Amino acid sequence: MTAILIVDDDKNILKLLDIHLVKQGYKVFQAKDGMEALEILRKESCDLAVVDVMMPFMDGYTLTKEIRNLYDIPVILLTAKSQIEDKELGFQAGTDDYLVKPFEPKELSYRIKALLRRYDHQADESILRTGNTTINQKSYEVQIGNRSYLLPLKEFELLSYLISHPRQVFSREHLIEQIWGLDFQGDERTVDVHIKRLRQRFSKLTDDFQIKTVRGVGYLLEVQRK
Amino acid sequence: MTAILIVDDDKNILKLLDIHLVKQGYKVFQAKDGMEALEILRKESCDLAVVDVMMPFMDGYTLTKEIRNLYDIPVILLTAKSQIEDKELGFQAGTDDYLVKPFEPKELSYRIKALLRRYDHQADESILRTGNTTINQKSYEVQIGNRSYLLPLKEFELLSYLISHPRQVFSREHLIEQIWGLDFQGDERTVDVHIKRLRQRFSKLTDDFQIKTVRGVGYLLEVQRK
DNA sequence: TTTTTTGTTCATTCTCCGTTCATATTCCAG
DNA sequence: CTGGAATATGAACGGAGAATGAACAAAAAA
């Protein structure tokens, strides 16, 4: 379940936000100031923080900086209308978004959704997509359209690596280091063979991607631009 | 320079946004409807799009979907206060942010900055640009518009070197030393052939750059002044 | 066990592309 | 205008690197 930390010195606002967010299906942690917020973050795992700017002891900007230093979660800053000039400060601190008070709870929801999706996108490495092709790193399956294929390990790892760094050339040496490990003793040409097999396996199945050769350098995976 | 596409059927708003964004140092393209927007995107390379929701022919959501299918740029949707219910639709289409009209230009600026920074994050340092042309030193690819070309190694290295020192003459000797290395034994005329190949490859593809001959001295790359 | 799959090596074939060379064209000094 | 020097261009070659097919050992599945 997605957990959200809300930080505000006004208990009424905390309560309002809590009700609204819980209704949306989030797990909510409340903090009345910066120190409490950091304490919660230390103990619990939160996916996003909503932080008020005006707070005693530690203002929202400072807290945001602190959070961003320690954790990789998005932060939404709440600012009063009069402080609109200060927004730049907030962004400079690495905030991902802000909201001007008073705001509709609905607006907050949308922002939260959008930010979470953005972060999930980057965080969820277990599924790779390009066009019609999906690579599921948990099941070691490659899906094209509605058919799915189970690849041999090395082939899968190779494709997986290439597809997660599209349009980038890798030398055989690099690929072996990444996929086989530093201690691999064998021949670099092994890569060639797996590339060959990937190519003949997929060339007539999809044009979502293509493995190209850069003579004298290595291989790269080209994704289809639509 | 960062280029922003603004799409709105209201000419006054277009003009206002244009003035504001140009003042901020952006290059601005204007489109009065979806079709025009897509046309511009096809021809020019834009880094971000600002799209009004209410437009004739093609609404902002549809346009956004279309843009996101074709290009990898963030989109900011502009919605009227009354349409706040529709926001979800916009996000579902893959929009990166939205703004409720009327908004302060400053607010737009901040959003743009934030989004661009987020996207730049993914962008790479090993990229050379001039006009519509992008040289990706990681993929050994040259992109012109939205088509990309994989060059032979030496041609790529030569172009790469020239384009990173535009308007500067280099002797064949110098180029050989830089690209082939000090130990190259061959004929200086080799450079000529690669220059020839670059020229015939790109002369009809783009006028972003041009390789010129300085008789008795060497070659230089001229970039298009806009 | 037998059978199949998978990872690697090896030998052969093939192809690309960097280079050279021969010829045509352009430039400019005189 | 003209001849000689520099550059452009077309063509061809040769070799290095890549593709490919086959073979084999090891592991997994039957």
Side-chain angles (χ1 to χ4, degrees):
Chain A
M1 190 197 276
T2 312
I4 294 178
L5 170 67
I6 52 181
V7 194
D8 199 313
D9 57 321
D10 184 335
K11 284 192 179 180
N12 293 318
I13 292 188
L14 275 186
K15 197 161 192 178
L16 270 171
L17 288 178
D18 189 320
I19 291 170
H20 177 70
L21 291 175
V22 166
K23 211 187 292 172
Q24 304 287 318
Y26 297 110
K27 185 174 180 180
V28 178
F29 294 103
Q30 300 184 17
K32 66 176 188 305
D33 57 48
M35 291 315 289
E36 212 175 295
L38 290 171
E39 200 169 327
I40 290 174
L41 283 168
R42 232 173 285 129
K43 289 179 192 160
E44 312 286 343
S45 96
C46 300
D47 302 287
L48 183 147
V50 178
V51 175
D52 188 33
V53 166
M54 280 290 284
M55 289 189 301
F57 312 128
M58 182 190 292
D59 69 27
Y61 299 130
T62 313
L63 176 58
T64 296
K65 272 188 204 159
E66 205 56 26
I67 292 177
R68 288 314 227 73
N69 269 339
L70 297 167
Y71 308 96
D72 185 33
I73 61 171
V75 179
I76 295 179
L77 267 180
L78 306 179
T79 86
K81 184 77 179 168
S82 65
Q83 301 165 319
I84 202 168
E85 293 300 327
D86 293 340
K87 280 179 191 172
E88 199 153 19
L89 262 175
F91 275 108
Q92 282 170 357
T95 312
D96 280 298
D97 213 338
Y98 65 88
L99 220 52
V100 177
K101 290 200 281 191
F103 54 85
E104 303 184 36
K106 211 169 222 171
E107 213 166 321
L108 179 61
S109 296
Y110 292 134
R111 292 281 162 83
I112 288 177
K113 260 195 223 167
L115 280 178
L116 285 177
R117 213 189 30 225
R118 204 137 56 207
Y119 265 71
D120 276 346
H121 240 261
Q122 303 171 346
D124 187 4
E125 298 297 324
S126 68
I127 282 182
L128 297 169
R129 251 174 250 270
T130 170
N132 233 5
T133 303
T134 307
I135 292 194
N136 189 330
Q137 304 201 299
K138 289 204 169 147
S139 67
Y140 280 52
E141 275 172 327
V142 178
Q143 245 186 53
I144 296 177
N146 49 11
R147 208 160 274 175
S148 89
Y149 305 87
L150 239 161
L151 305 201
L153 182 61
K154 282 287 174 279
E155 268 179 68
F156 181 85
E157 289 178 323
L158 188 54
L159 179 62
S160 209
Y161 187 81
L162 289 176
I163 225 165
S164 57
H165 303 88
R167 302 173 150 266
Q168 195 173 332
V169 195
F170 297 105
S171 65
R172 291 163 232 279
E173 194 191 349
H174 179 96
L175 290 171
I176 285 195
E177 195 176 311
Q178 290 297 314
I179 294 161
W180 278 259
L182 286 159
D183 52 345
F184 179 74
Q185 299 289 340
D187 192 333
E188 278 197 348
R189 294 286 140 188
T190 298
V191 177
D192 298 29
V193 180
H194 290 292
I195 293 278
K196 183 195 75 180
R197 289 175 181 169
L198 279 172
R199 287 211 262 232
Q200 68 189 22
R201 191 189 290 276
F202 290 110
S203 65
K204 280 167 189 167
L205 245 49
T206 180
D207 55 354
D208 284 341
F209 60 87
Q210 238 182 312
I211 300 175
K212 294 198 171 175
T213 308
V214 180
R215 187 166 252 255
V217 186
Y219 297 100
L220 72 86
L221 185 138
E222 183 96 25
V223 296
Q224 183 70 5
R225 280 219 171 211
K226 296 190 203 166
Chain B
M1 190 198 273
T2 312
I4 293 179
L5 170 67
I6 52 182
V7 193
D8 200 311
D9 58 321
D10 184 334
K11 286 192 176 176
N12 293 320
I13 293 188
L14 275 185
K15 198 161 190 176
L16 272 171
L17 288 177
D18 188 313
I19 291 169
H20 177 70
L21 292 174
V22 166
K23 211 186 290 171
Q24 304 288 317
Y26 297 111
K27 183 174 179 182
V28 177
F29 295 103
Q30 299 185 17
K32 66 176 186 305
D33 57 47
M35 291 314 290
E36 211 175 296
L38 292 172
E39 200 169 327
I40 290 173
L41 284 168
R42 232 172 285 130
K43 290 180 191 156
E44 311 288 344
S45 94
C46 301
D47 303 286
L48 183 148
V50 179
V51 175
D52 188 33
V53 166
M54 280 289 286
M55 287 190 301
F57 312 129
M58 184 190 291
D59 69 28
Y61 299 130
T62 313
L63 176 59
T64 297
K65 271 188 204 161
E66 204 56 27
I67 292 176
R68 287 316 226 75
N69 269 339
L70 297 166
Y71 308 98
D72 185 32
I73 60 172
V75 178
I76 296 179
L77 266 182
L78 305 179
T79 85
K81 185 76 178 170
S82 64
Q83 301 163 319
I84 204 169
E85 293 301 327
D86 293 339
K87 278 179 192 169
E88 197 154 19
L89 262 174
F91 276 112
Q92 281 169 356
T95 312
D96 280 298
D97 211 339
Y98 66 88
L99 219 55
V100 177
K101 290 199 280 190
F103 53 85
E104 303 184 35
K106 213 171 220 169
E107 214 166 320
L108 180 61
S109 297
Y110 292 137
R111 292 281 161 82
I112 287 176
K113 258 195 227 168
L115 278 179
L116 285 177
R117 211 188 31 225
R118 205 138 52 206
Y119 265 70
D120 275 346
H121 234 262
Q122 308 169 340
D124 229 291
E125 300 306 316
S126 59
I127 277 179
L128 297 171
R129 254 175 244 270
T130 170
N132 234 3
T133 303
T134 307
I135 292 196
N136 188 331
Q137 306 203 300
K138 283 199 171 161
S139 64
Y140 288 75
E141 278 173 323
V142 177
Q143 249 187 52
I144 296 178
N146 50 12
R147 206 159 274 176
S148 86
Y149 306 88
L150 240 163
L151 305 201
L153 186 60
K154 283 285 175 282
E155 267 178 69
F156 181 85
E157 290 177 324
L158 188 55
L159 180 61
S160 211
Y161 186 81
L162 289 175
I163 224 165
S164 56
H165 303 88
R167 306 179 141 267
Q168 194 177 332
V169 197
F170 297 104
S171 66
R172 293 173 177 73
E173 194 191 349
H174 178 94
L175 290 171
I176 285 194
E177 194 176 311
Q178 290 297 314
I179 294 160
W180 278 259
L182 287 158
D183 52 345
F184 179 73
Q185 298 289 339
D187 192 333
E188 278 196 347
R189 294 288 138 187
T190 298
V191 177
D192 299 28
V193 179
H194 289 294
I195 293 279
K196 182 197 75 182
R197 288 176 181 167
L198 280 172
R199 288 212 261 231
Q200 68 189 23
R201 192 189 289 276
F202 291 110
S203 66
K204 280 168 188 168
L205 246 50
T206 180
D207 55 354
D208 284 341
F209 60 87
Q210 239 182 311
I211 300 175
K212 295 198 170 173
T213 308
V214 181
R215 186 163 247 258
V217 187
Y219 298 99
L220 70 84
L221 185 139
E222 184 95 24
V223 297
Q224 184 70 4
R225 277 193 180 240
K226 293 201 181 167

